[in-house]
Structure formats: structure tokens, C-alpha cells
């Protein structure tokens, strides 16, 4: 059984006051019996406070990015050991916005992935194609290249300690969503590609869908056999909607795959 994950990426949103309201509401209403791992990813400056607020409750805290270096003279950067020190459990690497806006290539993403694993945290590796690549029917080729780079640097066994998030770039913040069948096709392709190297790792690997996931479409997406939860953007900033997504994932969590 693959335990679902619902991860809320706040991006560059929030304030101390707004975070307190949101986290208090989420912690109060997350059902401890839901078979779901719930994670929130606030901006760096709010991480330690979010960890303190959530303490040992049901919700875990992760970081949106990390430096590939272990430490040193890298002004403005935050290393994986620091994230672990303040209580993070997860770290997003290779998010489409980092790849597109900050020109992070597959090699840098792979190094960040390694840095997260080196300190015992769980990397959430994002892969996905742009609109142009999607329309050129290159989705499989793109995600294959992105995942193969990580495997080449870190080995197939590294995926046993990771989560993958398929995020079609054309469906992020656009209101467009891959159909459940489109998402399933790419997820199944990823799992099959990994299974060719290690069937056991592929069977247990959790692959999330990230691309305008909302309360209204989560249940249908999570019914797909290879969609193990969601990487949620804007909908994670509204308690009611984020909890609706978590509840949809909990129904999947009760089904064996």
C-alpha cells in the first residue's frame, strides 16, 4: 500500500498572522485517522515558526528549495542541514518555477536531490513538461530525461527515500488541469521506467500530481491507480479546500494498490 501525500506549496505567500490562522485551522481539522501524509511548504522565513506551531501534530513541514552545497560562502542560500536543524522533513527540488525562472538544469536539480538525501530529509522531486513540449507530444521524453539525470547521479536506490511530483507546467496556475487519464498516463510511464531498473522501488514509490489540484477535481485524480496524492499550490492557502483535497486522498489511502 502506498500511503498518499498531500503537499501544500505556499510559494511566496503568507504572513505570520495569516500563517497562524491557517495552520491552527488545519491542525484542528486534519483527521488523525486519515491514512495520508500532510505536508506544508511555507517560505523560508516562516519555517521555524511553522514547525513550532505544528509541533508533533499530524502535519509536517517542508522547504520549497535548498542549496546544492553543504555550507560555506554562498550568500543568500540555505543548506539542507539548516533545514533539518529547524525541523523540516521534506524539501522540494526541481520545481518548474526554479527550472524556468532561475534556469536550474537537470544536473543542479540532481545535486540538490543528493544534498537533501545526505542529511536524511525526503526530497520531493518535480518533473514535467512545458506547454510547447506538451503540444509536441514530448511529455514522456522530458520526464524521462529529468528522472534519468537524478538516477544517473544518485542511483536507482535513492528513489526509495524520495517522492516524485509530476507537474505539467502548462497546468500550473493556469486553471487548466491534466485530465485524470492524462495524469495517469505519465505517472504510469514514470513508474514503468523505474520498474525496469527496480520493480520493488517502483511499486512503493509515491508519485504525486501537481497542476491546479483543487477540491473539485482531487477525488477524480486520486482514483487513478498511479496518482498517489497531490502537490497543491493556491488551493493549499484555503483551509476548507486543502482539507477537501486531504479527505479525497484519505479515500485513496484506504485502498491497496
Amino acid at each position: 500500500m502506498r500511503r498518499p501525500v498531500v503537499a501544500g506549496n505556499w510559494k511566496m505567500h503568507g504572513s505570520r498572522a495569516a500563517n497562524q490562522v491557517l495552520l491552527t485551522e488545519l491542525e484542528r481539522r486534519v483527521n488523525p485517522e486519515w491514512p495520508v501524509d500532510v505536508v506544508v511548504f511555507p517560505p523560508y522565513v516562516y519555517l521555524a515558526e511553522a514547525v513550532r506551531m505544528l509541533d508533533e501534530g499530524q502535519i509536517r513541514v517542508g522547504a520549497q528549495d535548498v542549496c546544492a552545497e553543504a555550507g560555506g560562502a554562498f550568500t543568500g542560500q540555505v543548506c539542507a542541514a539548516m533545514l533539518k536543524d529547524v525541523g523540516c522533513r521534506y524539501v522540494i527540488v526541481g520545481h518548474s518555477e526554479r527550472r524556468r525562472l532561475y534556469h536550474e538544469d537537470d544536473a543542479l536539480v540532481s545535486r540538490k536531490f543528493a544534498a537533501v538525501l545526505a542529511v536524511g530529509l525526503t526530497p520531493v522531486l518535480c518533473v514535467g513538461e512545458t506547454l510547447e513540449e506538451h503540444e509536441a507530444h514530448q511529455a514522456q521524453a522530458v520526464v524521462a530525461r529529468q528522472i534519468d539525470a537524478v538516477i544517473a547521479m544518485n542511483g536507482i536506490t535513492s528513489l526509495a527515500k524520495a517522492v516524485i511530483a509530476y507537474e505539467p507546467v502548462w497546468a500550473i496556475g493556469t486553471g487548466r488541469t491534466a485530465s485524470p487519464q492524462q495524469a495517469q498516463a505519465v505517472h504510469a510511464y514514470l513508474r514503468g521506467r523505474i520498474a525496469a531498473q527496480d520493480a520493488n522501488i517502483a511499486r512503493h514509490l509515491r508519485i504525486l500530481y501537481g497542476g491546479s489540484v483543487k477540491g473539485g477535481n482531487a477525488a477524480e485524480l486520486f482514483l487513478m491507480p498511479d496518482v498517489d496524492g497531490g502537490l497543491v499550490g493556491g488551493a493549499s492557502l484555503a483551509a476548507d479546500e486543502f482539507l477537501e483535497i486531504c479527505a479525497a486522498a484519505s479515500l485513496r489511502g484506504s485502498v491497496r494498490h
Side-chain angles (χ1 to χ4, degrees):
M1 177 179 178
R2 298 190 297 270
R3 183 179 173 91
V5 181
V6 176
N9 178 12
W10 295 2
K11 305 191 180 184
M12 199 168 69
H13 297 292
S15 66
R16 294 184 68 191
N19 296 350
Q20 183 169 13
V21 172
L22 177 57
L23 291 176
T24 299
E25 185 72 1
L26 292 177
E27 184 73 354
R28 182 178 69 83
R29 294 172 56 190
V30 165
N31 188 332
E33 296 184 1
W34 284 344
V36 178
D37 291 336
V38 181
V39 191
V40 293
F41 293 84
Y44 278 143
V45 293
Y46 301 127
L47 286 173
E49 191 163 22
V51 170
R52 285 194 297 271
M53 285 187 62
L54 297 171
D55 195 21
E56 293 301 318
Q58 296 295 116
I59 303 172
R60 298 291 178 254
V61 177
Q64 298 176 18
D65 189 30
V66 67
C67 182
E69 307 297 336
F74 301 97
T75 300
Q77 295 295 300
V78 177
C79 69
M82 294 173 179
L83 297 175
K84 183 175 183 178
D85 192 35
V86 299
C88 288
R89 303 286 188 91
Y90 296 79
V91 183
I92 296 173
V93 296
H95 191 278
S96 61
E97 290 161 3
R98 299 296 313 179
R99 294 179 189 263
R100 177 170 55 90
L101 299 176
Y102 300 99
H103 311 293
E104 295 188 2
D105 60 16
D106 293 336
L108 179 56
V109 171
S110 299
R111 291 180 60 223
K112 290 187 174 189
F113 184 95
V116 173
L117 284 181
V119 301
L121 299 181
T122 299
V124 179
L125 171 65
C126 296
V127 298
E129 79 280 14
T130 65
L131 178 60
E132 293 75 17
E133 291 164 338
H134 174 71
E135 292 180 340
H137 306 289
Q138 295 176 344
Q140 291 187 358
V142 171
V143 299
R145 187 201 76 226
Q146 292 169 337
I147 196 74
D148 287 354
V150 171
I151 294 172
M153 182 175 292
N154 299 282
I156 188 66
T157 57
S158 67
L159 296 182
K161 301 176 182 178
V163 174
I164 291 178
Y166 167 57
E167 45 162 21
V169 181
W170 51 271
I172 298 174
T174 64
R176 298 176 62 180
T177 307
S179 70
Q181 293 73 26
Q182 286 175 313
Q184 167 60 24
V186 178
H187 283 228
Y189 173 77
L190 283 166
R191 200 178 304 281
R193 191 173 185 87
I194 294 163
Q197 297 186 54
D198 193 306
N200 187 56
I201 287 175
R203 185 164 51 250
H204 293 94
L205 178 65
R206 296 181 292 180
I207 306 177
L208 315 184
Y209 172 76
S212 297
V213 179
K214 295 178 170 55
N217 61 27
E220 190 177 12
L221 283 164
F222 299 162
L223 282 175
M224 297 294 103
D226 289 294
V227 179
D228 303 311
L231 178 59
V232 185
S236 67
L237 297 169
D240 287 345
E241 191 155 22
F242 190 59
L243 288 163
E244 186 177 354
I245 296 168
C246 294
S250 75
L251 298 177
R252 176 184 178 79
S254 64
V255 178
R256 288 190 174 274
H257 294 277

